[in-house]
Amino acid sequence: SLNGSISTNYQQQKYGGYNLNGNINLRKGKWTATANLYNGYWSWYNESKEATFYSDETWNGNGINKNSGDYVGGKISLDYEVNPKLITGFNLQLSQGTGKSEGNNTIGINKINENQPYRYITTDNRGTEWDWKYVGLNYHIIKKFDTEGKKLTFDFDYSNNPNPSTNKTISKEYTASWNEIAEKYQDNLTHEDQKNNRYNVSLDMEHPVNSWKMNYGTRLRWANDNTDNNGNSKSYIGESIYKSKFKFTENIYALYYSVEKAFAEKWTAKAGLRYEYAEVTGKMKEENIDFKKDFNGLYPTAYIMYQASDNHSFTFNYSRRVERPNAWFLNPFITKNNEYSFYTGNPYLTPSNSNNFELEYAYKDLTITSLYYRNTEDIITQISIYDPITKINTTKPYNIGKSYSFGISENLNIKPTKWWKLNATADIYYRKTTSDLPEMEDLDGLNSEFRITNNLDLNKKKTLFANYTLSYYGKSYQDFQTTEDFIRHSIGFRAMIFDKKLQLSLNINNLFENKNPRYTTISNEIKNIQDYSAYRVFRFSITYNFGKQFNIEQSKSNQEKGRGKN
């Protein structure tokens, strides 16, 4: 058997981008082979306005930013059926890409109650660029047993992801009449060469026993990140050079078990438990950072469903989850944009844990109503803190505090006519975040989101389709950021020809170029407001499918994807 697809798409925001993709799957005798190749170019543009309100000054900024880059990659896999109950094989994925940022920003500084700036600051970040490579390898064994559904899967995964980047900004200051202040000139250049290596081993057993469905196994992960930093700051006082090396390792060992069973005719239940133990080390000689920590935790899950009748069902879900900080959040090296703006990582971040409870009621296929409660400890997020005296803004990731939220969501599916399907969703919830940072205050409020999607069959052969989606996002309070409400319209058309083997589609997002939301944060009682431009986005796609479809046995690979900044 042989099948595959060839596809391409073109996307237009203010600037254009494209993607080319080809897939092929072949089965012959005991061998199954798959291959995928892709290539593309992307670009993104926005304009921004920003206002920061100090007690004695107001800083008003206007910026333009354009990011663009290209990428190419592919994946091959080969499986061999040793016998009907034993399959072994591997996957190999290779990809690489580049990116660059072009933009500038101008800040006008006004004395309080004065309309005319007495000083200007400009920054130009042309020369900021990055490239990345990714190598991922998976080897797997899938063993089936005589018992229906009993299966053992072994996976070994390795990934390597070098990601060098250069951050460049030229900063200048001017008087009210736009005369340059020579001693304020700065040329800041930061090189960061990051290399990530990941090893994963997993053993998973699906083990039914009579009416019991059990699943258990182990996952082991070893990760190490090495970053070489080199920072130059050229200014009127000369040139300063700062170099450092940051090494970070994270080893995670996990065991898990779950069991599912239908009982008492109308009841189905599932329960699981995962135990994780993590060892974390970090070292940077230049900053006297040298630590070793360990974390462990139990992460239960529970699910129970009561099928009251053919039309009514009730479900309760509970889960405890963990979120670990990204590698690039942990590097403490300081990146300097200008005299008043810095970015740094935080090697002392700890994992964040959350609990999720949900009670769900479903009526036929028409509606699903959910009540839920969630709480999170040691939330991980980036925060910009403004100093009221020096006017310096430092952006840094923190464990900012705790949050809890509770709300109700509704999902409605109706079919007004044979050719019209309508889906409507609503989500309304209250969220409160309590701060562990003295610079930030608690934030709470009511959040909401509403969406109506219409899917239309335009002919009896079901080869022409259209859709229209209206989304409204109410004012929201996420961590320490307030986001104003905004609206989105999107439409799409799809045609299937040549026995539905060829598909043509056109999608337009943000049809009426509605405004983007306004973001507001407050630190040290200093308010910062940011606005971004909104653009209509066109996407045209062509896909051609060929050959006869067949099933491919899937492993449970834990392979990590590339970390390119695109």
Side-chain angles (χ1 to χ4, degrees):
S1 297
L2 174 71
N3 68 67
S5 66
I6 301 171
S7 64
T8 183
N9 68 69
Y10 176 80
Q11 180 170 296
Q12 178 74 40
Q13 189 224 25
K14 186 175 179 66
Y15 299 95
Y18 71 89
N19 173 265
L20 301 171
N21 197 314
N23 297 282
I24 191 166
N25 307 302
L26 172 66
R27 174 170 290 168
K28 184 174 178 61
K30 295 186 175 184
W31 294 92
T32 300
T34 68
N36 166 244
L37 290 174
Y38 54 88
N39 167 250
Y41 172 83
W42 61 273
S43 65
W44 193 257
Y45 176 90
N46 67 41
E47 299 177 7
S48 63
K49 292 183 178 181
E50 183 175 6
T52 306
F53 301 92
Y54 296 97
S55 60
D56 58 338
E57 292 178 341
T58 300
W59 293 37
N60 294 298
N62 290 279
I64 294 175
N65 190 44
K66 178 190 176 185
N67 292 337
S68 61
D70 54 52
Y71 57 90
V72 63
K75 181 178 180 180
I76 60 172
S77 66
L78 188 65
D79 284 306
Y80 178 69
E81 186 181 277
V82 180
N83 59 56
K85 298 187 180 299
L86 181 62
I87 298 173
T88 185
F90 73 91
N91 305 321
L92 175 64
Q93 183 175 346
L94 304 171
S95 60
Q96 65 177 31
T98 64
K100 64 179 180 179
S101 180
E102 301 174 278
N104 59 75
N105 185 60
T106 300
I107 297 174
I109 303 175
N110 297 28
K111 293 291 186 181
I112 198 72
N113 297 324
E114 293 185 5
N115 295 325
Q116 180 64 33
Y118 78 94
R119 186 162 120 249
Y120 295 93
I121 301 173
T122 65
T123 57
D124 186 336
N125 71 346
R126 283 175 294 183
T128 295
E129 56 188 23
W130 59 90
D131 61 77
W132 55 270
K133 294 181 175 66
Y134 175 76
V135 177
L137 175 66
N138 164 263
Y139 172 70
H140 53 267
I141 301 173
I142 302 172
K143 169 65 176 174
K144 298 180 180 180
F145 298 86
D146 291 335
T147 304
E148 180 68 25
K150 186 177 180 181
K151 182 170 70 172
L152 178 66
T153 304
F154 167 81
D155 280 280
F156 168 79
D157 295 290
Y158 167 75
S159 63
N160 174 269
N161 184 206
N163 189 10
S165 63
T166 298
N167 187 78
K168 180 178 176 63
T169 58
I170 293 177
S171 174
K172 299 178 182 180
E173 291 195 32
Y174 299 86
T175 65
S177 55
W178 281 99
N179 294 314
E180 184 177 347
I181 305 172
E183 63 268 21
K184 291 293 187 177
Y185 171 85
Q186 290 193 23
D187 184 350
N188 300 308
L189 185 67
T190 301
H191 297 286
E192 185 176 277
D193 188 5
Q194 186 177 97
K195 296 180 176 67
N196 304 314
N197 286 283
R198 303 284 187 271
Y199 300 87
N200 294 281
V201 175
S202 65
L203 196 62
D204 180 88
M205 173 66 85
E206 297 176 28
H207 191 171
V209 177
N210 298 324
S211 61
W212 298 79
K213 295 180 181 179
M214 294 186 292
N215 179 222
Y216 50 86
T218 182
R219 291 193 179 99
L220 312 175
R221 176 179 182 266
W222 299 270
N224 62 78
D225 302 295
N226 293 280
T227 307
D228 289 342
N229 307 288
N230 185 343
N232 297 329
S233 181
K234 299 178 183 178
S235 64
Y236 72 98
I237 59 174
E239 180 177 1
S240 63
I241 300 177
Y242 177 45
K243 295 183 179 181
S244 69
K245 291 186 177 182
F246 179 60
K247 295 183 178 180
F248 180 81
T249 64
E250 184 182 57
N251 302 328
I252 302 173
Y253 312 98
L255 296 169
Y256 60 90
Y257 175 85
S258 68
V259 60
E260 180 180 2
K261 178 178 171 55
F263 60 95
E265 189 178 355
K266 295 184 178 183
W267 293 85
T268 301
K270 183 177 181 178
L273 184 64
R274 188 176 80 258
Y275 170 75
E276 285 193 7
Y277 174 75
E279 294 177 332
V280 175
T281 64
K283 183 177 292 187
M284 178 184 276
K285 181 179 179 181
E286 294 78 6
E287 291 286 345
N288 294 318
I289 294 173
D290 190 355
F291 63 83
K292 183 176 181 179
K293 303 177 183 178
D294 58 78
F295 305 95
N296 64 83
L298 290 171
Y299 299 95
T301 59
Y303 160 94
I304 186 167
M305 183 180 74
Y306 174 62
Q307 188 74 45
S309 67
D310 291 342
N311 295 333
H312 304 273
S313 67
F314 299 85
T315 306
F316 173 77
N317 287 286
Y318 165 72
S319 65
R320 178 172 169 81
R321 298 172 183 169
V322 61
E323 177 190 357
R324 303 185 185 279
N326 296 319
W328 51 87
F329 271 12
L330 299 164
N331 184 2
F333 187 73
I334 296 174
T335 299
K336 184 179 183 181
N337 294 320
N338 56 48
E339 186 177 348
Y340 304 96
S341 177
F342 298 84
Y343 168 81
T344 183
N346 184 355
Y348 300 106
L349 292 173
T350 61
S352 173
N353 294 292
S354 63
N355 293 284
N356 306 277
F357 303 83
E358 183 178 26
L359 179 63
E360 180 182 287
Y361 164 70
Y363 174 67
K364 295 183 177 180
D365 294 326
L366 295 178
T367 180
I368 299 175
T369 304
S370 298
L371 298 172
Y372 58 86
Y373 170 80
R374 299 162 185 162
N375 64 60
T376 306
E377 298 178 345
D378 300 318
I379 302 167
I380 303 170
T381 193
Q382 284 191 142
I383 294 293
S384 295
I385 294 179
Y386 294 82
D387 189 302
I389 307 300
T390 64
K391 309 298 194 294
I392 291 176
N393 161 30
T394 302
T395 301
K396 183 177 180 179
Y398 293 93
N399 291 111
I400 62 172
K402 302 177 181 179
S403 74
Y404 70 86
S405 60
F406 57 87
I408 182 171
S409 67
E410 184 71 29
N411 187 307
L412 177 66
N413 293 290
I414 58 177
K415 197 170 182 179
T417 68
K418 291 182 179 180
W419 47 269
W420 177 16
K421 295 178 182 178
L422 187 148
N423 172 256
T425 63
D427 190 10
I428 302 172
Y429 62 96
Y430 170 84
R431 179 183 172 96
K432 181 174 183 177
T433 303
T434 59
S435 174
D436 287 345
L437 305 177
E439 299 89 351
M440 312 300 292
E441 296 182 355
D442 297 354
L443 184 66
D444 69 317
L446 192 66
N447 303 257
S448 61
E449 180 179 334
F450 305 90
R451 180 179 291 111
I452 297 177
T453 300
N454 300 270
N455 292 299
L456 309 174
D457 298 337
L458 300 183
N459 64 349
K460 292 182 179 180
K461 293 182 178 180
K462 294 186 183 283
T463 57
L464 294 174
F465 308 92
N467 65 72
Y468 164 70
T469 299
L470 169 65
S471 303
Y472 173 75
Y473 303 86
K475 190 173 183 178
S476 65
Y477 305 84
Q478 181 73 22
D479 302 332
F480 300 130
Q481 179 175 271
T482 301
T483 304
E484 299 299 326
D485 68 316
F486 66 106
I487 195 169
R488 284 288 180 269
H489 302 263
S490 65
I491 61 172
F493 302 93
R494 182 163 57 100
M496 304 172 71
I497 55 179
F498 301 138
D499 268 344
K500 300 185 178 181
K501 292 181 178 180
L502 181 64
Q503 296 187 32
L504 309 175
S505 63
L506 172 65
N507 293 280
I508 306 174
N509 294 321
N510 200 14
L511 180 63
F512 301 114
E513 290 192 87
N514 303 97
K515 69 179 180 70
N516 274 327
R518 166 172 288 182
Y519 303 95
T520 302
T521 57
I522 299 174
S523 65
N524 283 323
E525 299 183 351
I526 298 165
K527 180 185 289 188
N528 174 263
I529 299 174
Q530 298 181 17
D531 292 280
Y532 296 91
S533 57
Y535 289 92
R536 187 180 298 117
V537 180
F538 297 86
R539 181 184 176 92
F540 177 70
S541 303
I542 303 174
T543 301
Y544 177 70
N545 298 297
F546 59 89
K548 181 181 178 182
Q549 300 298 313
F550 57 86
N551 293 325
I552 298 175
E553 192 76 39
Q554 298 293 323
S555 74
K556 297 198 174 183
S557 171
N558 198 31
Q559 193 173 90
E560 298 191 26
K561 302 304 180 185
R563 296 185 178 225
K565 295 183 180 180
N566 61 319

